[in-house]
């Protein structure tokens, strides 16, 4: 029997019904003539998933909710950036050794690359897993961060860890923010008419980045466009963090070549 040299990659998390990762990574393999296939591997037990990664083997695993923190103890090594952020969203299996990385931060950096951040007032909504990678990037770019979160204590933890201040609700309309970033799931399908901020707070010239990518254009981004803000979509972050995963696995440069259009097309279907 011929042994296929096809490689397997996976997205792991729970639930995984909505994941667009296989579509994106498999399009990348096709375009680059790489004999590999990404499959969705839903599972609640992270230890079992790690065993599958070792045994199958899975060469690259994209890690999503709720495993980004809990998978860390099963890694053979963890990249320094991922350690500082406190979350792993990528596992690379190098000859049986599992190495953990965080590529969300690369997706964030690429999405924000044209936005001046040094000494700019940046409001971050949310203090969960994605906000950790955001905090890491904003600290490195010397932004003046204001953290706002439903559970104030978690915003305090973010300010303590990455710097910045905790914003009271009254400060949201009173402060002149240069950049507003949503890292909460508010506005995500199916609740597409919800926004994490009242439209009246938005001002022309602000940059508004919503990391929610489903729908492609959230209510927050629609309101921001109507107010004359510059908008950045979570699709860019999603594609860039995925391409960074391929860079880490293949150990070579890869191009962002038409993948955002592919994802937007799928989201609009
Ligand atoms: P998470 O760890 O569960 O954190 C969610 C945060 O949002 C928490 O701060 C939570 O506040 C807040 N929140 C949740 N529901 C809320 C509500 N109804 N009202 C007010 N605040 C609420 O989630 P995550 O991993 O950071 O992911 C957040 C979103 O980012 C998801 O939609 C995810 O799909 C998206 N994401 C996108 C990308 C991308 O590549 N574009 C990458 C990663 C994540 P509490 O602290 O009060 O609970």
């Amino acid at each position: 029997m011929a042994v296929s040299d096809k490689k397997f990659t996976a997205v792991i998390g729970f639930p995984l019904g909505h994941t667009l990762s296989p579509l994106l990574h498999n399009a990348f393999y096709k375009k680059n003539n790489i004999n590999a296939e990404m499959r969705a591997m839903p599972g609640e037990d992270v230890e079992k998933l790690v065993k599958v990664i070792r045994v199958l083997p899975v060469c690259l695993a994209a890690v999503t909710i709720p495993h980004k923190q809990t998978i860390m103890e099963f890694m053979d090594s963890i990249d320094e950036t991922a350690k500082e952020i406190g979350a792993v969203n990528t596992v690379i299996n190098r000859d049986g050794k599992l190495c953990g990385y965080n590529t969300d931060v690369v997706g964030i950096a690429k999405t924000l690359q044209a936005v001046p951040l040094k000494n700019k007032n940046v409001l971050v909504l949310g203090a969960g897993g994605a906000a950790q990678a955001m905090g890491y990037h904003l600290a490195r770019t010397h932004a003046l961060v204001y953290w706002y979160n439903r559970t104030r204590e978690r915003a305090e933890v973010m300010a303590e860890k990455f710097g910045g201040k905790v914003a009271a609700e009254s400060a949201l309309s009173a402060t002149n923010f240069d950049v507003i970033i949503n890292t909460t799931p508010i506005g995500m399908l199916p609740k597409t008419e919800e926004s994490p901020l009242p439209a009246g707070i938005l001002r022309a010239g602000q940059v508004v980045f919503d990391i929610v990518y489903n729908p492609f254009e959230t209510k927050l981004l629609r309101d921001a466009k109507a107010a004359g803000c510059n908008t950045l979509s979570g699709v860019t972050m999603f594609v860039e963090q995925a391409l960074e995963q391929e860079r880490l696995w293949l150990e070579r440069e890869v191009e962002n070549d038409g993948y955002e259009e592919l994802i937007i097309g799928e989201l609009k279907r």
Side-chain angles (χ1 to χ4, degrees):
M1 192 172 68
V3 178
S4 166
D5 58 359
K6 187 186 227 181
K7 307 282 188 208
F8 287 101
T9 66
V11 51
I12 62 168
F14 195 83
L16 271 186
H18 62 284
T19 183
L20 292 169
S21 294
L23 175 76
L24 175 53
H25 287 265
N26 290 331
F28 171 81
Y29 299 143
K30 194 168 177 200
K31 195 174 247 181
N32 291 278
N33 289 316
I34 295 167
N35 189 10
E37 183 186 343
M38 176 172 274
R39 292 184 182 172
M41 288 189 355
E44 283 183 283
D45 184 335
V46 71
E47 195 171 359
K48 273 192 193 154
L49 289 168
V50 171
K51 275 191 189 139
V52 176
I53 292 172
R54 289 189 191 278
V55 172
L56 196 61
V58 170
C59 301
L60 178 173
V63 185
T64 185
I65 294 174
H67 301 317
K68 288 187 186 182
Q69 278 89 29
T70 49
I71 203 163
M72 294 178 81
E73 65 171 292
F74 301 104
M75 297 294 100
D76 297 307
S77 68
I78 298 180
D79 164 74
E80 278 310 310
T81 303
K83 265 189 214 164
E84 279 184 51
I85 292 168
V88 157
N89 79 325
T90 307
V91 179
I92 305 295
N93 187 346
R94 294 206 173 91
D95 300 323
K97 294 267 179 258
L98 302 190
C99 313
Y101 296 89
N102 188 302
T103 69
D104 280 336
V105 71
V106 176
I108 288 166
K110 295 228 171 183
T111 308
L112 287 168
Q113 65 191 350
V115 179
L117 292 169
K118 190 172 180 181
N119 296 329
K120 299 291 181 190
N121 289 333
V122 179
L123 172 65
V124 180
L125 306 168
Q132 305 247 105
M134 195 64 75
Y136 178 90
H137 179 68
L138 294 174
R140 286 172 70 90
T141 51
H142 307 285
L144 306 174
V145 182
Y146 293 77
W147 295 98
Y148 179 76
N149 190 48
R150 176 176 63 181
T151 312
R152 188 185 163 92
E153 294 73 36
R154 292 184 81 191
E156 285 165 2
V157 171
M158 299 301 279
E160 179 77 20
K161 186 168 174 187
F162 299 109
K165 299 176 185 167
V166 175
E169 198 166 349
S170 57
L172 297 185
S173 49
T175 311
N176 199 4
F177 297 111
D178 301 293
V179 181
I180 295 174
I181 300 170
N182 176 44
T183 75
T184 78
I186 301 171
M188 198 167 81
L189 214 73
K191 297 184 177 172
T192 54
E193 286 314 308
E194 292 185 2
S195 170
L197 273 186
I201 285 178
L202 302 165
R203 300 274 171 270
Q206 287 174 325
V207 173
V208 179
F209 173 19
D210 195 341
I211 78 163
V212 171
Y213 59 86
N214 194 359
F216 163 57
E217 199 164 63
T218 58
K219 170 134 175 46
L220 174 63
L221 293 187
R222 294 198 304 273
D223 289 346
K225 268 191 185 164
C229 305
N230 300 311
T231 58
L232 296 169
S233 148
V235 171
T236 307
M237 174 180 167
F238 176 69
V239 169
E240 291 290 358
Q241 65 76 31
L243 293 177
E244 181 65 12
Q245 295 177 323
E246 294 297 343
R247 273 184 207 106
L248 288 168
W249 175 37
L250 301 169
E251 296 180 324
R252 68 168 168 85
E253 203 33 60
V254 305
E255 295 298 313
N256 183 352
D257 185 8
Y259 301 109
E260 288 185 37
E261 291 73 10
L262 173 78
I263 296 298
I264 292 167
E266 181 67 17
L267 292 171
K268 283 184 175 168
R269 275 194 335 138

